[in-house]
Amino acid sequence: MAQSDRLSGVLLHVTSLPSYGGVGDFGPAAYAFVDFLEAGKQRLWQVLPLSPTGYGSSPYSALSAFAGNPILVSLEKLAEAGWISWDRIQGLPGHEGPADFGAAMDIKLPLIEEAAGNFLDRATDDEKAKFHKFCQDNSYWLTDWAQFAVLRRRFGYASWHEWPKEFALREHDTMTSVLTDHGRELAVEQVVQFFFAEQWKALRDYCCDRDIRIMGDVAIFVSYDSADVWTHPEIFELDENGAPIRVSGVPPDYFSANGQRWGNPLYKWGELKQRGFDWWVSRIRRSLALYDTIRLDHFRGFEAYWSIAADEETAINGQWVKAPGHELFQRLKEVFGDLPFVAEDLGVITPEVDELREHFGMPGMRILQFGFGDRGGHLYLPHRYVPNTVAYTGTHDNNTTQGWWRDDLNDTDKQKVQTYLQTIHHDGEINWAMIKAAARSVANLCIFPLQDILHIGSEGRMNTPSAPAGNWTWRYHPNALHPDFSTQLAALMEMTDRDNYQEPIEGDEAGKPTEEASRRAELGSVA
């Protein structure tokens, strides 16, 4: 995404689609949503991490930073491809209601694995060759993930550090026996990842044909119970038994007297630097295979992070530790060139964090909902934006705009909102007032949660940070994407120059191929 591009997009996680099977996936509902984006002249779809999830089904508590979430694979697409019969996928949870992750794991996932077994038994030589190439191209993570998934199932889905010691510490003879004793299961796990990759690629191609880019999400830290820590203990702060020595969090502030103890193991940055940051290079390579643009969650942590002893119950007794952000991003730039990153720079940000972001040309984020409290929040209002900014009405961690207006604001703050935007005669007006403010701003990119476009209240909130339950389950109703919403969006995009308008060519040159198109034709390329 060039810094000069001016465009707009929608934030919607894949699991929030009203797909068949009780949880959103890469099936027909995803393509219908892309059609809605195209009709509304939206040119970006932001998703949350697509990784396999553990307890709580949070996409930010992933079992792997590299693998795809198997439950996002569409059974309908597998049936269309002939890998499972239509009668086998009847009777699953339907298109409506909250995402049912339990049913997806208990009912849907075994059917996906059944389809993977059918692939192993019936695939043609060409299909097998394509699968083997996928395995070869992704060998730097795929085998380890397959072993982790198989062993996790074998040991009752317990965290890897609770497995028998020889498995937890990956003793050589033990891991050799896994390869020999579980060959079929490992192959099934690899085929499931192949299905994920093929279906996601088809959906991305559908987006690309409609000039819609995908923004993904990369969290700075990984979960302790993950294939990443199990496979690469040498790059994390662990003791000789694999237990974490220090973990991550955020310090106490006016939101929380104890801070937040995230519990993710910390990197051995010195070890990573000595290895040329090879693990991070691999992680970004994988992310660039999935997304066009990458949002870096908790960007501040790349400059300095809050370190807590693993046996501390709160985040009070922690300390700031310097991270090698400049060295890391310089290495990534050497490998990948211009970095398609967006920095999640919310909260208390130091000048050093701003300098790191600006040095590498990464746009920061501004959340319009944050701008109406004290004067310090005014940097989140459009008159303080600069072009290299991503403007949001809200994110997955905020209430919806409708819920924020109805349930979170007092009368004083509501008056501030109306002073800045417009008089709100009825609650339904707040959504488009906020959307218009973000779209009219100088920010090159503005993003709206789908809930705001659909005028959905607090019942549509995706996540309440630190809440123990009830998160990540929202799905929109199958009939919610009314054409009136896309028509309204399209008109706004035209008036705010976010629709990729191209000046018509007149005169003798009209109808002739462009220089770029002519060059591709001469080279015989269709790219």
PDB file of all heavy atoms in Angstrom, residues 71 166 223:
ATOM      1  N   ILE A  71     -10.645 -24.475  11.297  1.00  0.00           N
ATOM      2  CA  ILE A  71     -12.095 -24.318  11.249  1.00  0.00           C
ATOM      3  C   ILE A  71     -12.525 -23.230  10.275  1.00  0.00           C
ATOM      4  O   ILE A  71     -13.719 -23.074  10.010  1.00  0.00           O
ATOM      5  CB  ILE A  71     -12.697 -24.047  12.648  1.00  0.00           C
ATOM      6  CG1 ILE A  71     -12.236 -22.696  13.211  1.00  0.00           C
ATOM      7  CG2 ILE A  71     -12.388 -25.184  13.598  1.00  0.00           C
ATOM      8  CD1 ILE A  71     -12.963 -22.308  14.481  1.00  0.00           C
ATOM      9  N   GLU A 166       9.813 -36.287  27.599  1.00  0.00           N
ATOM     10  CA  GLU A 166      10.537 -36.574  26.354  1.00  0.00           C
ATOM     11  C   GLU A 166       9.851 -35.929  25.139  1.00  0.00           C
ATOM     12  O   GLU A 166      10.504 -35.600  24.151  1.00  0.00           O
ATOM     13  CB  GLU A 166      10.676 -38.085  26.148  1.00  0.00           C
ATOM     14  CG  GLU A 166       9.366 -38.849  25.997  1.00  0.00           C
ATOM     15  CD  GLU A 166       8.793 -39.312  27.325  1.00  0.00           C
ATOM     16  OE1 GLU A 166       9.135 -38.707  28.373  1.00  0.00           O
ATOM     17  OE2 GLU A 166       8.005 -40.286  27.324  1.00  0.00           O
ATOM     18  N   SER A 223       1.948 -17.116  22.057  1.00  0.00           N
ATOM     19  CA  SER A 223       1.469 -17.810  23.245  1.00  0.00           C
ATOM     20  C   SER A 223       2.495 -18.823  23.732  1.00  0.00           C
ATOM     21  O   SER A 223       3.202 -19.448  22.927  1.00  0.00           O
ATOM     22  CB  SER A 223       0.151 -18.524  22.944  1.00  0.00           C
ATOM     23  OG  SER A 223      -0.844 -17.617  22.541  1.00  0.00           O
TER      24      SER A 223
END
